[in-house]
Amino acid sequence: MYTKKRRAVNAVLICMCLATLCFIWGNSAMSPSDSSEASNSLLDAIGPIVRFLGIVLSDDLALRKFAHFAEYSALGIELALLGAVNMRLAFQDISNCAFAGLLTAVTDESIQLLSGRSSQVSDILLDFAGVLTGALLIWLIRHIVLKRRKKHTGVERTD
């Protein structure tokens, strides 16, 4: 990828990471009542879709846990794409994504404590699992693409 294009893609991915962090930490800064109201509104909005899929959500707890995992999966994807765009996505890069996600999750739970909400180690672990899932998904896709490219061109790429 050309350097100019790579810089532009890097800038977009960095902005996406920052927007995701603002979204995650912004939700954590909500008061308990505002957070509950937001969860219930979302549950009401997606209720018909969830019921159509045959999923039963009796309260907003399952939605909150899914949201934790999804938000952090998105962050893991964005962080891993930063590595992939820069032609790197080795074990160390995935480890860096995981550490950044873990640091984000600990900060997230600390913000919740400051906003009068509870903080849970299980949420940190769930967030960490989300980051790893997102980053490993990008690693797997990249691995498959490079393997197919090698098969079709006969050229092995070393990053």
Side-chain angles (χ1 to χ4, degrees):
M1 188 182 295
Y2 298 108
T3 305
K4 224 177 192 182
K5 285 184 182 179
R6 187 176 295 147
R7 271 188 261 166
V9 172
N10 276 334
V12 168
L13 287 169
I14 289 169
C15 288
M16 288 173 64
C17 287
L18 291 173
T20 302
L21 288 173
C22 288
F23 179 77
I24 290 170
W25 290 339
N27 285 330
S28 292
M30 288 181 171
S31 69
S33 60
D34 288 344
S35 176
S36 181
E37 184 178 319
S39 293
N40 288 330
S41 295
L42 181 60
L43 190 56
D44 290 342
I46 66 169
I49 298 167
V50 170
R51 283 190 293 281
F52 176 76
L53 295 172
I55 301 169
V56 178
L57 295 176
S58 57
D59 60 13
D60 68 342
L61 181 63
L63 178 65
R64 286 174 181 268
K65 298 304 175 188
F66 175 76
H68 268 272
F69 187 82
E71 292 167 352
Y72 280 86
S73 292
L75 183 62
I77 288 169
E78 294 160 357
L79 291 171
L81 283 173
L82 271 170
V85 164
N86 291 298
M87 307 302 179
R88 295 185 42 137
L89 203 54
F91 177 76
Q92 183 62 51
D93 301 298
I94 297 297
S95 298
N96 291 344
C97 290
F99 180 74
L102 185 60
L103 183 61
T104 302
V106 169
T107 303
D108 183 30
E109 293 301 308
S110 299
I111 291 169
Q112 286 184 23
L113 280 176
L114 295 173
S115 64
R117 294 168 50 194
S118 66
S119 177
Q120 298 178 345
V121 173
S122 62
D123 283 347
I124 293 172
L125 296 174
L126 185 63
D127 299 343
F128 184 66
V131 167
L132 279 177
T133 300
L136 290 173
L137 177 67
I138 295 301
W139 177 86
L140 180 64
I141 291 168
R142 184 172 181 269
H143 178 74
I144 291 168
V145 167
L146 290 178
K147 196 171 189 175
R148 284 189 180 171
R149 186 179 295 160
K150 178 185 173 191
K151 182 180 176 184
H152 292 291
T153 63
V155 177
E156 185 172 345
R157 212 170 122 182
T158 56
D159 297 334

